[in-house]
Structure formats: structure tokens, C-alpha cells
């Protein structure tokens, strides 16, 4: 994956996380770890990743390709 795509994806993820935390936790976050964890889970669900109860097990989205 070219660096430009990686940088773009990283910016999108950071914007999503910032917006999610602000929406669900407000400006003064009491538990930053919980907020970040919830935001990351929401981001990856949004992207189509599905995590099972075992943290090491997940299902990749159908359109995911490893190039």
C-alpha cells in the first residue's frame, strides 16, 4: 500500500475516533482508555471487521485484499 494511502487512512481513522469520542463521551473524558477502545471498536465495525469474543479471532471484510 503506498504511503499516501496509509496516511489518508490514518487521517480518516483519527477523525472518526475524535468525532466518536466527542459524541459519546463529551469534551472531558474521564476514562480515556475506555473511550479509545470503544472508538476503535466502532471504527473497525464501520470498516467491516467483525471481532469475536476471543480477541485473537476476527473476520475480515469481504472486499479486503492484502496487496
Amino acid at each position: 500500500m503506498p504511503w499516501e494511502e496509509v496516511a489518508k487512512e490514518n487521517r480518516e481513522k483519527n477523525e472518526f475516533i475524535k468525532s466518536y469520542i466527542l459524541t459519546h463521551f463529551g469534551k472531558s473524558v474521564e476514562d480515556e482508555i475506555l473511550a479509545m477502545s470503544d472508538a476503535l471498536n466502532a471504527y473497525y465495525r464501520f470498516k467491516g471487521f467483525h471481532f469475536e469474543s476471543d480477541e485473537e479471532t476476527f473476520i475480515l471484510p469481504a472486499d479486503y485484499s492484502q496487496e
Side-chain angles (χ1 to χ4, degrees):
M1 179 180 289
W3 284 110
E4 294 82 17
E5 287 182 42
V6 172
K8 179 183 175 191
E9 185 173 322
N10 194 41
R11 279 190 304 274
E12 289 174 357
K13 180 174 69 172
N14 289 339
E15 289 172 14
F16 181 98
I17 289 171
K18 183 179 177 182
S19 176
Y20 183 92
I21 290 174
L22 185 60
T23 301
H24 292 88
F25 292 89
K27 288 185 178 184
S28 57
V29 178
E30 291 182 23
D31 188 343
E32 292 182 16
I33 294 171
L34 175 64
M36 182 61 78
S37 178
D38 283 358
L40 283 169
N41 283 332
Y43 175 77
Y44 287 116
R45 278 193 312 267
F46 172 74
K47 292 300 239 176
F49 291 83
H50 300 283
F51 296 90
E52 299 295 328
S53 59
D54 179 6
E55 293 177 1
E56 299 295 323
T57 305
F58 60 91
I59 301 169
L60 294 172
D63 62 343
Y64 183 81
S65 65
Q66 294 180 338
E67 294 180 11

